[in-house]
Amino acid sequence: MSAALFLSGLGLGVAGSLAGAALPARARVPAASVLTAGACTTAFAAAAGVLASGGAVTASSAQILPLTGVTLSLDPLGAVFVITAAAVGAAASCYNVGYAARGGGSRTATALLPLFITSLLLVPAAASIATFMAAWELMALSSLLLLLTGHRRREVRDAAQWYAVMTHAGAAAILLAFVLIGAHAGGQSFAAIRAHAGAVPPAVRSLAFVLALAGFASKAGAVPLHVWLPRAHPEAPSPVSALMSGAMVNLGIYGIVRTGDGLLRGGEMWWWLAVAGLGVTSALFGGIHAAASSDLKRLLAYSTADNMGLVLTGVGVAGALAVTGHRVLAALAMIAALFQLVNHSAFKGCLFLAAGSVQRAAGTRDLDSLGGLLRRLPVTAALFGIAALSICALPPFSGFASEWLLLQGFLRGFTAHGAATATALLAGVAALALTGGLTAAAFVKAFGIGFLGQPRTPGAAAAGEAHPAMTVGTALLAVPCLVLGVVPGAVVPLLARAAATALGGPWPDPLQAGPGLAIAGSADVIQPVLLAAALLAGLALAWGLVRLRARAGAERGHRARRAEAWGCGRELQTARMQYTATSFAEPLQRVFDDVLRPDHDLDVSHLAESRYFEQAITYRSRIDDAIERGAYRPLTAGVQRWGEVARRAQNGSVHRYLGYGFAALVILLVVLA
Amino acid sequence: MVTFSIVQLIPLLRSLFSRPVTERLPRPPGQPEPARFPGSVQLRHVDAGSCNGCELEIASAFGPVYDAERFGARLVASPRHADGVLVTGVVTRNMAIPLAKTLDAVPRPRVVVACGDCALGGGPFAGGYGVADGAWPLADPDVAIPGCPPGPVAITQALRALTGR
Amino acid sequence: MSTSLLASAGVSAIQLGAAATGGPLLYGLMAKVRARAEGRAGAPVRQPLLDLWKLAGKERIHAGHSSVVLPLAPLVLIASTAAAVVIAPLISTGPALGRTSDVFVIVFLLLLGSVAVALGGLDTGTAFGGMGASRAMTIGALTEPALLVAVLALSIQAGTSNLPGIVSATLAHPGWAAPPERVLALAALVIVVLAETGRIPVDNPSTHLELTMIHEAMILEYAGPELALVTLGETMRLGLLLSLLANLFFPWGIAATASIPRLVLGLAVLAAKTAAIAGVIAVAEVSAAKLRLFRVPEILSAAFVLSVLAVVTGLVLP
């Protein structure tokens, strides 16, 4: 039943793609969006069924891929990722109806978006190496082509170049890792590999894990393999950005968990400590850059790297605890990581869609040019605000519940005595704390500078509310931020099943039943419903007191007087006197100067007559990604130099080429003889 | 960084536990008016072109000897936090609009306290070329403290009348 | 069952009332100590309460370009601080919702209040609001690691992050108050409390110079009842943080059962403890100068190092 449901979901996705390619302009976008939304809903239902029952659904066919066939198997772990991808996919296709309405969706873009979403649903269900790689490549190619729909702009072409190279290098590493494992374990289906995981020698296992980690961590946006992320996510069209940040980076985490725990049956301690180390570095680096960025979408992209870092830390801690035999503690850490991942998809997807609406309305995504948008786009601003409060981990939203669970996972882990684990846990808590503060600073900046105050440019002043389909799509993802925050106990037991599958279950459930979150065997519990009720009661009480006192002084009326803002009595106050995003972030930028390494350019030109008088002063300040500048640029420069050297061997002379061919033939004959 | 030295703490602790140097101020004779802000008043000081003589006296009035804070009066930074403006100096042409804006920013009920002869009608500078004559809001101040400059006792007693303490 | 529910609700109501009056009284006490140290008579200790009452009766003013966020921010500050006061173990180990009284919940509720005030400052559309919000969020971001790692040290020692649980555990093991990890955690938390409540050496609460303001700059635009709410929220925050400092490290005197004499004793002991800590802070404020804004991260990193040392000592020493 669930198998048929899931397959029909995939089929609807393909049908949506065909509809987008074949139909005429007017019908193209709505038809493709409806079919894709249907695909997402059926896949969601199928995955929910898998999670509820705890079993797996399989389907296979020897036909579609030559030589290997296609094997699909949706188990509870994959179901979690299918659910998040389906939710973000449904919201993105609904959003696309409004997004493409004014620009007019091109045939390519409308055909590729359903294909991208289908590949996101397919990857967690793949159960053999060939299926997995086919789905992975489909996902990479479709997202690359969707990114390139804006190819007229130079930044988009640059971003696509970085994205293409890094994602394919990552795919090559993953393929190599799988081939190594599959060759020793004697089979290419995941079930066969799992059964014979002991046959793989330890050195090969470690090498394979490192390769797979490199490929999947790059996809997840882990520092230092993240440099494509702050380039590609901002430049892509908004629904595609939301899918990339809300669903695609999750699959990097899926790959690591599947390879390490599922295929390789646990593994060594140092693997998981390396994962946790990667996580801590990503969280800190991403958080610092998000706090310092003044481009709205670049801020959100770095924040994705930050949150994925926290998830990676949770996964690493879970793996390390599982290796040392602490089953319950490992399950708790894994549940916390999965919960953070699910919540991140919801609020990051919502943030990217809202940012897309802002970019459409105001014409720019530079925070220094926005402002006053709360009055002009009230619904979009409210949805951005809900998602922003959620990502800052403030009660009673979902981010708070998942960060609490992560903290509990780390706290419990300290009872497992071990110096390496304790160091990893302490680093995890410190990273979580600092990134929590940095995220709060980043999103106060994003919401406060972007939506509050006065508009800083005429473009921002002329902004209007987005197309209703765009607001509905954004609202679809804002609802989980509230619901999962107030009743996390409804969802987390399902994640426990997924965690059990990930760690090679069945494992005892570390959480007690109930609407809130309670750790079994301890006094630690939160009841977000009660917290939300207390907050609402407090709000009502405070508001009531204000109104009561205002009514008592009735000769002044209870309406507040609108007056000019206090500016020390100066006669003229303009919008330019407000703080900008760059100035807001300047104290933090100073503190983290060594990490950010901003680029300051001061150009002074003097008058010809005398050097004492200046004619013009130009100041430019940029914050580039320091890892890109320090590690990748020398690398690409070195590769280019090698290319120049090799060009000397290819000088265009036919005689030389014939000589190469002859020499190769002679060598082959010598070797084979 | 924060440095604590025992040498620094000793006189501090000594003054903490001994009698303060503040002088006792008896209430002025006559029937007291009902206080406009019983118990607490905050004022925003505006220098509208003063020679700083009144400022020195005001600083002395809030200093240890005369301590106007013990009667509930306080100077604040923002007019939005204040109950009125404490104006010193003859209102120059440049300061007319800022003074009006400052008073407008004060939430009602509000008072205007004119401190010194300059604020009360020009003093030695009346009729000068830079002076804005008859400038609102000093046309009819709620509290007047005459003197050039008024002593700290006069200032303190005027503030005390506002709070009724 | 219902009597214990009623009892815990009563305890929370008393805590809320005590915080709402005690917070301003603590502010007044600190001002009085400061005045006396300067040789002045000083305003009476109840002066902040008189100020709040007068402010509540004044006109409400909203800045021209502000939106609904400006009047909403003080309400969120009061709501979050009140929620934290209601669930924290201040006079008794059994407040309402005590089961959900987690130390991390308190930390994030305080963060909610800070974010609300910062957004309110940005909504004014002036340079001061942005400056205050920028500085406040920077300092908030840098206090988070020290705060969370220091409470982590306490939670590891007690084996739980439930606040009444930590307090009860310390009551049951009096020897836990002495070890070096507690002292290090206390030092870190004192610095964090000074930063969170905006006292010298991090921020001068009575400055008139806008360029030196951190917290005050965000509330420059509030008038009347909204200013009263913001000020009340800040005083309740100070009261809450000092009470938590007192009860986490020196919990003796807190009521373990909800009987009336024990509650009265608990209230009195709490008042004495917080008054003592407030007095010490006031003396420290008078003798120190405010740090330059760009030196504040150094003191916060020192707090972080102290809290990390607290965790490490707790794990390494038996």
Side-chain angles (χ1 to χ4, degrees), chain A residues 221-471:
Chain A
V223 167
L225 300 163
H226 69 291
V227 288
W228 62 273
L229 204 148
R231 280 174 174 273
H233 285 221
E235 300 298 342
S238 304
V240 179
S241 301
L243 282 166
M244 282 173 137
S245 253
M248 197 173 74
V249 294
N250 295 352
L251 297 177
I253 310 283
Y254 169 75
I256 295 173
V257 176
R258 183 66 80 184
T259 316
D261 291 314
L263 294 182
L264 297 174
R265 296 275 204 133
E268 326 263 330
M269 185 71 145
W270 66 265
W271 294 2
W272 300 108
L273 291 177
V275 172
L278 265 182
V280 168
T281 330
S282 311
L284 290 172
F285 194 81
I288 293 171
H289 267 275
S293 173
S294 65
D295 175 336
L296 180 56
K297 283 192 164 184
R298 203 175 149 95
L299 188 156
L300 295 177
Y302 273 114
S303 171
T304 302
D306 170 359
N307 276 285
M308 285 297 115
L310 289 179
V311 175
L312 272 177
T313 316
V315 165
V317 163
L321 287 169
V323 164
T324 52
H326 298 94
R327 302 156 65 95
V328 182
L329 303 176
L332 181 59
M334 182 64 84
I335 295 174
L338 287 175
F339 193 33
Q340 176 76 15
L341 188 134
V342 167
N343 286 334
H344 173 256
S345 302
F347 49 65
K348 193 46 70 66
C350 178
L351 284 169
F352 263 109
L353 293 179
S357 305
V358 165
Q359 187 178 6
R360 260 300 162 83
T364 174
R365 53 177 210 257
D366 183 15
L367 279 170
D368 290 346
S369 314
L370 297 175
L373 295 177
L374 181 61
R375 292 177 141 191
R376 291 160 175 84
L377 300 83
V379 183
T380 310
L383 295 171
F384 190 98
I386 291 176
L389 288 175
S390 189
I391 198 173
C392 294
L394 298 175
F397 298 97
S398 58
F400 166 65
S402 61
E403 288 223 3
W404 183 84
L405 204 56
L406 263 177
L407 278 168
Q408 283 298 321
F410 291 151
L411 176 62
R412 300 272 139 234
F414 276 106
T415 59
H417 302 282
T421 334
T423 322
L425 288 168
L426 185 56
V429 171
L432 194 149
L434 184 57
T435 60
L438 290 172
T439 309
F443 281 92
V444 165
K445 177 179 66 177
F447 189 70
I449 306 277
F451 291 90
L452 303 179
Q454 308 174 49
R456 291 173 179 78
T457 54
E465 184 60 87
H467 191 281
M470 288 159 87
T471 47

Side-chain angles (χ1 to χ4, degrees), chain A residues 422-586:
Chain A
T423 322
L425 288 168
L426 185 56
V429 171
L432 194 149
L434 184 57
T435 60
L438 290 172
T439 309
F443 281 92
V444 165
K445 177 179 66 177
F447 189 70
I449 306 277
F451 291 90
L452 303 179
Q454 308 174 49
R456 291 173 179 78
T457 54
E465 184 60 87
H467 191 281
M470 288 159 87
T471 47
V472 168
T474 320
L476 265 173
L477 287 175
V479 169
C481 295
L482 271 170
V483 171
L484 288 178
V486 177
V487 272
V491 160
V492 172
L494 301 173
L495 293 175
R497 292 215 185 105
T501 321
L503 295 166
W507 292 54
D509 192 353
L511 294 162
Q512 291 170 357
L517 292 174
I519 313 292
S522 90
D524 301 337
V525 61
I526 57 168
Q527 298 281 11
V529 184
L530 298 177
L531 271 177
L535 282 169
L536 282 174
L539 266 174
L541 186 68
W543 185 78
L545 283 174
V546 173
R547 297 296 277 184
L548 207 66
R549 201 64 173 99
R551 215 168 283 264
E555 69 270 12
R556 285 181 294 282
H558 15 259
R559 296 195 68 86
R561 168 161 71 107
R562 278 263 161 207
E564 191 192 0
W566 168 244
C568 278
R570 71 172 74 91
E571 294 183 28
L572 181 64
Q573 293 211 89
T574 66
R576 278 200 59 192
M577 293 176 179
Q578 294 177 108
Y579 253 49
T580 59
T582 317
S583 42
F584 191 97
E586 203 245 349

